Amino acid sequence: MAVEVVMPKLGMAMKEGTVSIWNKEVGDSVGKGEPIASVNSEKIEIDVESPSEGTVLKITVPEGEGVPPGTVICYIGTPGENIDATIVEEISEPVKENKAIPIPQSESSVTTKTFPGRVKISPVAKKMAEAAKLDIEKISGTGPGGRITKEDVQEAIKNSRELDTPPRPEPVNIVVQAQPIIESKQIPVSGIRKVIAERMYNSLRNSAQLTMNMKVDVTDLITLQKQTAETVQSRYQNKLTVTDFIARAVVLALQEHGQMNSAYLDGKIHLHKSVHLGMAVALEKGLVVPVIRDADKCSLIELSGNIKDCAARARQGQISNEEMLGSTFTISNLGAYGIDHFTPILNSPETGILGVGAVNDIPVYKGEKIERRSILPLSLTFDHRVLDGAPAAGFLQTVKKYLEEPITMLI
């Protein structure tokens, strides 16, 4: 019997998964454990492996289509195997328990009317039919075993519109200026990209965002980093980065400026008791924000280890949805791309997000002398509904103080 491959559930909060790409086509041979497709939820993308050796008999969910977890996305079996028999057997299981209706054996006898009161229809097709207010009892299914597919519903919608369309008026000659034809390729917006698009738009629409910039002299910090590198490596098997020090400075500053560690919800400002630090990680298909929980209880070394672990697992697609929820403040670092100042968008409902640019060595006056100093650009975006410019600037100054006096982060 053909083996079902279903959409996996990538987290407790997952409601829909999307097939990003099929690595195999109908008729291709697959080995057990071989990746046959990539699927994604709102924040995670993983490879789906074949549960058995065989041949891809049918693909039921095309690329770019979202379906609920547990939905069959393809069948694997032996060439020439009858998939309809597998589908009939799945439907028959509850019927066997009731022992009320015999199961049809031939393909020709399988229709949507075989089981009274129950119509075979895919989840996506059912949603479309409900949205269009169509009676699924009146839709003819062309899928396996008479199953109503997405295409069947689209055809029914088209037919209903044609019936409802009033007679066309007499044509009127209108001169329309020809427009240049621009060739383009349409890319479906789904998975991570769709979530980012919605959240960034809603963030800007539902908050009063303002960005301020500041430059920080991190010359002494980089010197301290180099001086402690050997000790940190031998004792903790770790390497402290500038990002680690920035994260530590932000956590300490948030403890002094509680309003920045808050959220504006339902007309009230909610001050968080703990710091749950979001660290933005860029992936090939989008941006994810793993959360370092209770970052205010971590030492610099512990914070560094947590940041590296979360970033590594995010890039490998091994981080769960639950690990990317509940941040109270976010850091987004574009320094590796040579960016100076930029305007990060709030990760709603947070009050603040810190953008980190690239460290550059520039000549700076120190008294009467010119010295070579390492300068770090910072960009703070905050919600003006929660706090004003002066307290936001005070927070940024505190971050600057810790970074320019790095020894204070170790005491």
Side-chain angles (χ1 to χ4, degrees):
M1 185 180 359
V3 177
E4 298 175 342
V5 180
V6 302
M7 176 64 68
K9 191 172 181 66
L10 306 180
M12 295 300 293
M14 176 180 170
K15 294 187 178 358
E16 184 179 272
T18 302
V19 178
S20 308
I21 187 170
W22 281 104
N23 301 323
K24 298 290 183 179
E25 297 179 354
V26 173
D28 288 351
S29 297
V30 296
K32 184 176 181 179
E34 184 179 357
I36 56 175
S38 293
V39 301
N40 65 70
S41 65
E42 295 182 347
K43 300 180 178 179
I44 303 174
E45 180 157 354
I46 66 167
D47 288 331
V48 174
E49 298 178 351
S50 174
S52 64
E53 184 178 349
T55 300
V56 178
L57 301 179
K58 180 165 187 163
I59 291 175
T60 57
V61 178
E63 293 179 1
E65 183 173 314
V67 294
T71 302
V72 177
I73 60 174
C74 78
Y75 291 90
I76 294 174
T78 57
E81 186 173 353
N82 184 6
I83 306 175
D84 293 345
T86 303
I87 298 173
V88 171
E89 183 166 338
E90 294 166 12
I91 299 173
S92 70
E93 290 180 0
V95 177
K96 286 180 180 179
E97 293 177 5
N98 296 329
K99 298 181 180 179
I101 303 170
I103 301 172
Q105 299 300 320
S106 65
E107 182 177 346
S108 61
S109 65
V110 180
T111 67
T112 58
K113 302 297 182 180
T114 302
F115 304 99
R118 183 174 180 180
V119 177
K120 290 184 293 181
I121 182 170
S122 72
V124 175
K126 186 175 182 181
K127 288 182 181 178
M128 292 175 60
E130 290 175 349
K133 298 181 179 179
L134 295 178
D135 184 358
I136 59 176
E137 295 280 352
K138 298 179 181 179
I139 301 176
S140 298
T142 61
R147 183 183 178 90
I148 299 174
T149 66
K150 172 183 174 182
E151 289 72 20
D152 296 330
V153 177
Q154 289 175 333
E155 183 66 23
I157 293 173
K158 178 182 176 182
N159 293 336
S160 66
R161 287 176 179 170
E162 289 177 354
L163 293 173
D164 296 338
T165 302
R168 293 184 179 181
E170 291 295 322
V172 178
N173 293 327
I174 300 176
V175 179
V176 180
Q177 185 176 357
Q179 296 293 326
I181 299 175
I182 301 175
E183 293 185 1
S184 63
K185 177 183 177 182
Q186 293 186 356
I187 301 175
V189 180
S190 62
I192 296 176
R193 186 76 265 152
K194 183 177 180 180
V195 173
I196 292 174
E198 292 174 352
R199 291 187 177 175
M200 294 299 96
Y201 174 75
N202 289 332
S203 174
L204 286 170
R205 184 180 62 178
N206 297 322
S207 60
Q209 300 190 26
L210 175 65
T211 302
M212 56 178 57
N213 303 313
M214 182 175 285
K215 293 180 179 179
V216 180
D217 188 338
V218 293
T219 307
D220 294 340
L221 185 150
I222 293 175
T223 299
L224 177 64
Q225 178 196 19
K226 293 177 180 178
Q227 291 174 343
T228 58
E230 186 176 343
T231 301
V232 171
Q233 180 62 44
S234 61
R235 181 173 296 183
Y236 303 104
Q237 291 75 53
N238 193 2
K239 178 183 178 181
L240 291 176
T241 66
V242 173
T243 298
D244 298 334
F245 282 99
I246 294 171
R248 177 63 174 165
V250 165
V251 170
L252 293 173
L254 287 172
Q255 291 178 289
E256 296 182 32
H257 301 266
Q259 268 193 298
M260 192 61 74
N261 191 50
S262 66
Y264 188 94
L265 297 168
D266 301 323
K268 297 179 182 178
I269 298 173
H270 297 250
L271 300 177
H272 301 299
K273 295 181 180 179
S274 299
V275 177
H276 303 310
L277 188 63
M279 300 295 297
V281 178
L283 306 180
E284 183 179 351
K285 295 189 177 181
L287 187 75
V288 296
V289 185
V291 181
I292 313 299
R293 304 207 177 278
D294 298 310
D296 50 318
K297 298 177 182 177
C298 297
S299 66
L300 176 60
I301 292 295
E302 291 170 336
L303 188 60
S304 172
N306 289 335
I307 291 172
K308 291 178 176 62
D309 173 66
C310 285
R313 289 191 294 114
R315 293 188 179 100
Q316 294 166 6
Q318 297 176 352
I319 201 158
S320 67
N321 280 342
E322 287 71 22
E323 293 177 278
M324 292 184 282
L325 298 174
S327 56
T328 61
F329 189 93
T330 296
I331 295 175
S332 179
N333 193 334
L334 293 179
Y337 301 92
I339 300 298
D340 289 330
H341 294 291
F342 60 102
T343 306
I345 299 175
L346 289 177
N347 184 19
S348 296
E350 297 171 15
T351 293
I353 180 172
L354 184 67
V356 180
V359 175
N360 289 304
D361 289 347
I362 62 174
V364 176
Y365 271 105
K366 299 290 285 186
E368 297 296 324
K369 298 180 180 180
I370 295 180
E371 297 183 9
R372 178 177 177 173
R373 309 294 292 182
S374 298
I375 304 301
L376 170 72
L378 298 178
S379 303
L380 174 69
T381 296
F382 64 96
D383 191 342
H384 215 316
R385 296 176 303 169
V386 177
L387 72 169
D388 299 325
F395 166 79
L396 201 52
Q397 283 182 328
T398 301
V399 174
K400 174 185 172 78
K401 179 192 70 174
Y402 281 116
L403 293 176
E404 292 188 341
E405 300 173 18
I407 193 66
T408 58
M409 290 187 280
L410 305 179
I411 299 175

